[in-house]
Amino acid sequence: MNKKLAAALSGGAVLVLTLSGCSDDSDNKVNDWAKKVCDQVQPQLQKIANANASIQQQTADNSKPADVQKTDSAAFQQISQAYKSLGAAVDSAGPPPVDDGETTQKEAVKELNASSKAYADLKTDVDALDTKDQAKFADGLKGIADDLNKISTSGDQALKKLQSGEVGVAMSKQKGCQKPTASTGPSGSGAADADAGASPEASAPEKKESSEKDSADKDSEKAEKTEKGSEKKDSEEKKA
């Protein structure tokens, strides 16, 4: 029942994911501006990719409505926060050093903030769905998917303008503005796992569990040896 939602989300317009320029026509000032933005953009793009992946993982026909609701709510919250941070990144970078740069920047920030609010509203909507009635829940998800399609297909004109011309070429060369690979935990893991997936330390919990297990085994072995040594000492004292 979550498949339409996942499909709509994956089709969403996200800043600089469509960039493909490879020429080097832009000057140093534009490149510097692009780097300033893209260095802040990458973590947010990663969060959006991870949130998308978490929804896609929760698309089985036998998924429980409560699990779907929890996953989708966490994903929408994470995407909303990511768009807000993207808006802040573009805003703090200042206008790009190109013709009409200030207007382009302000419109892009406005759109990113609007997208943030739209996803926050989707979170509110999914939280309000009735998980006890599967049919009603499925209908509610369909409505949310329709709203998501509208968000994905409109309101990104300023972002497209920001990605065009010299600025677009400069941004396309920055690693931070390239499309990230989604990394997320088990189905229904929510925003916490998705945040962990945005970091190279995503596998740290597994390593920690392993080290804790090894430590526990060593402590157990040490205690066993101590106990045996004590028994042996008592035995020798009795013989004496």
Side-chain angles (χ1 to χ4, degrees), residues 74-131:
F76 288 144
Q77 173 70 17
Q78 185 158 318
I79 294 172
S80 174
Q81 291 172 343
Y83 270 107
K84 187 174 182 179
S85 296
L86 286 172
V90 176
D91 187 39
S92 65
V98 293
D99 292 341
D100 206 25
E102 186 173 352
T103 300
T104 300
Q105 178 216 19
K106 286 182 178 179
E107 289 300 316
V109 170
K110 182 179 177 181
E111 281 185 3
L112 288 165
N113 288 335
S115 292
S116 175
K117 183 181 183 305
Y119 280 102
D121 290 343
L122 287 179
K123 178 190 183 306
T124 300
D125 291 343
V126 79
D127 285 343
L129 295 180
D130 183 3
T131 57

Side-chain angles (χ1 to χ4, degrees), residues 23-87:
S23 63
D24 196 15
D25 296 332
S26 48
D27 62 30
N28 288 335
K29 289 183 179 180
V30 177
N31 285 328
D32 290 344
W33 185 90
K35 186 177 188 309
K36 189 185 297 185
V37 173
C38 294
D39 284 350
Q40 299 179 68
V41 161
Q42 184 62 24
Q44 309 312 322
L45 297 186
Q46 186 70 62
K47 288 178 183 180
I48 292 171
N50 292 347
N52 185 5
S54 71
I55 287 182
Q56 289 183 351
Q57 286 183 338
Q58 195 66 267
T59 57
D61 291 333
N62 60 350
S63 293
K64 295 179 181 179
D67 291 339
V68 173
Q69 183 184 55
K70 180 180 178 182
T71 298
D72 293 357
S73 176
F76 288 144
Q77 173 70 17
Q78 185 158 318
I79 294 172
S80 174
Q81 291 172 343
Y83 270 107
K84 187 174 182 179
S85 296
L86 286 172

